[in-house]
Amino acid sequence: MSEFTWLDSTVLVIYILAIAFIGARFGRGQSDTQDYFLGGRKIPGWAIGLSVMATQASAITFIGAPGWGFDGGLERLVTFINVPIAMAVLIFLLVPVFHRAGVYSIYELLERRFGPATRSLSAALFLVARGLATGVVLYAPALVLSVVTGWDVNLTIVVMAVLAVSYTVLGGISAVIWTDVIQMFVLWMGAIVSMFLLIGSLPGGWSDVLAFGAAQGMFDAIDLSLDPTVTYSLWAGLIGGVFLHIAYFGTDQSQIQRVLTSPSIQEGQRSLLIGGYLLIPQMLLFLFIGVMLATYYDQHGLTAPDNLNELFPRYVVNAFPPGLAGLVIAGVFAAAMSSLDSALNSLSAVSVRDFYSRYAKRDASEAHYLKVSRWATVFWGIYATLFAFFAGNLGPVIEAVNRIGSWFYGALLGVFLLGMLSHRTNARGAMAGLIAGMAAVWLVSSTQDISWLYNNVIGVAVSLAVGYGVSLTSPAPNREQLADVVIDETAPDMQAVLSTRAGKASEVTAEARLTRRRCIGLLVWFCVVLTALALFQSWANG
Amino acid sequence: MADYALPRRIDEATAMARLARLGARRFESARLGLWAYPLGLADASPSAWLLCHRQARRALLWPGPLPETRDAADEVSLAGGEPVPPERVARLWFWERLASRRLRSARLQERAPDAVTLPLWLGYGGGRATRRLIVVSAVSGEALVALKPAVLAGLRGAGEG
């Protein structure tokens, strides 16, 4: 059994300094907020996709998911099984609208469609929800560092925050995305190395893991129970999870902002394809590490720590050879910083675009807004740090983050859908829908014992129904408010005129059928994954 | 025929890239008729122009003199319709002045508007069931959402004509 040696520390420190250096270099030549928040709209789709993946594999996944796998096997995979469907909806519905609008913050679009009050309330909700979640994201890796080094956890929180804030302040979204690309590979390498070392430490290797997992029912990923109180049933994952992920990837500025950095709608859609195909395998990898750890603990007669978030890092430090432990812990840092940096940049974007430049100082120079944006990043870093001090009392970390989001995101998605799909909804309806949707989620989650995965469905359904109903009590919006926001923006007679004109016009691109093919590909992938899991579960149960 | 025509500064290749980014699959050039209202000191020659259309909820600003008339070939001509009523022009000017501190010293001059055409690039997106129109200025390259109702009205007129 080894400790965290000087070699491990050296690997870790070199990695952290390298990331900070690379991230800071992106700050050179940035002259305006389009560079800082949208990377000049020049970042390729594959890099954005890997960045989204890295954020998803944040430290809370890296640490929390092996704990899930240890505790419940693959049952919680249903939370992610819906991601291909969610990505298909985003590619087809939301990305073209957001990209075409040319906005920095997606809440700007709500002002065009519904007016300033809806925009400001939505942006404020995002700041509260993402600000709190960022505190949790900061707490998780700090806990790991605390376990590894023996430092006080509050000290490690401060160290992590200073590091991530410094390179995000200097490099903006470009630093966020390109450091995420590097961190994505380090993170996966850390996870794969862990998996092979774990397998090597078991006398029977894979057969031990499969035998133990099958005997303990850990491969039962699909629970067909119709009971809404069963948290991880297939239906909760499919119905609730789809809305959870559409809302998360589509209405959370920290996610969708990166898609807006792409040079075209097609590139933005391509970035989501990567997550659509790879997020399930990634979650499967981390859950399997948890099953392997359960096998290891069983064979060695060990007792798991009270806090399952400490399970994986404790194993790494105690069982891995010198140098490799440092590499895997670097992977944890990679995961943590890739989540933290994107959250800080998006919090800054919303603060500056939706509040400062909207209400406080409307006519300032780009240099001024860039300076304010950097200070806003520092502010949110401090805010997240303070919240992280209290995150230890929120229970299992990964679920805490999702719960915070699920109070808000369903209602927010409902309002975006009202804006895009309905010609009749107006500002009054949008505000009513937003407030009623949130109130409904709060009421149901505090009085009923149903799966939290359904929270977003409730939020969306109530905000759509109330929003549309209340809209009927006041005049319909004018044509300009509908332009570029609603999907079907023109009357049937104009559709005929546009079709005639388009038929005579020159062709821009041959990618006309690309979006449809991409969506179909994701749906096929979803079916393949579901079938594979069902077959695996069937095999495990004899 | 319009008295003045603003210059087309965004070429076809640039426009195609811009429209592709905005989701267009087909594109064409067009000119939209607008009414130019002079801005400046009471008795001086205009220092800028407020470009208005009955169907547009925002006006555009053109600094300096309006360019001379020239022929516009291979472009869809979208009629500007009747001049905008004075009280509406005053309201549009009020909003433009509020939006920019630099404009606050300028005044709307009391004289008849001039007809002017604005060069545009029109993009057509969407699927077979639903077409979408994307309007991009051929002067600045910016998407002009506020002009879309005016362009749609012009396209309807061009189709009927």
Side-chain angles (χ1 to χ4, degrees), chain A residues 41 99-100 263-265 363 478-480 484 486-487 489 493-495 499 501-502 505-508 512, chain B residues 20-28 57 76 100-101 124 129-133 145-146 148 152 155-156:
Chain A
R41 294 187 197 268
H99 213 286
R100 194 177 292 119
S264 69
I265 290 176
D363 230 1
N478 59 50
R479 287 180 73 109
E480 192 193 347
D484 268 347
V486 294
I487 294 301
E489 66 186 7
D493 62 325
M494 273 319 300
Q495 282 292 305
S499 289
R501 295 273 8 136
S506 309
E507 197 164 356
V508 170
Chain B
R21 193 173 80 72
L22 296 171
R25 289 167 190 161
R26 289 180 173 274
F27 77 107
E28 63 183 342
R57 288 194 162 256
V76 183
S100 177
R101 199 179 298 156
Y124 302 98
T130 309
R131 288 284 177 188
R132 293 183 56 79
L133 174 70
V145 177
K148 198 182 279 189
L152 286 170
L155 283 175
R156 181 183 274 124

Side-chain angles (χ1 to χ4, degrees), chain A residues 225-292:
Chain A
S225 169
L226 293 170
D227 184 352
T229 64
V230 175
T231 307
Y232 299 109
S233 72
L234 179 65
W235 313 117
L238 281 184
I239 302 167
V242 162
F243 282 95
L244 169 72
H245 283 116
I246 295 172
Y248 174 61
F249 288 113
T251 66
D252 186 313
Q253 174 73 11
S254 70
Q255 297 299 314
I256 202 72
Q257 186 180 330
R258 272 170 294 185
V259 177
L260 301 179
T261 64
S262 60
S264 69
I265 290 176
Q266 283 77 19
E267 282 290 303
Q269 291 172 328
R270 184 178 296 156
S271 71
L272 293 179
L273 280 180
I274 294 176
Y277 284 110
L278 292 182
L279 273 173
I280 296 176
Q282 178 173 275
M283 182 51 68
L284 198 58
L285 171 66
F286 288 116
L287 289 176
F288 245 102
I289 288 174
V291 177
M292 290 171 194

Side-chain angles (χ1 to χ4, degrees), chain A residues 308-322:
Chain A
L308 285 179
N309 293 321
E310 294 178 14
L311 184 75
F312 186 42
R314 276 186 190 279
Y315 170 80
V316 168
V317 173
N318 291 331
F320 279 28

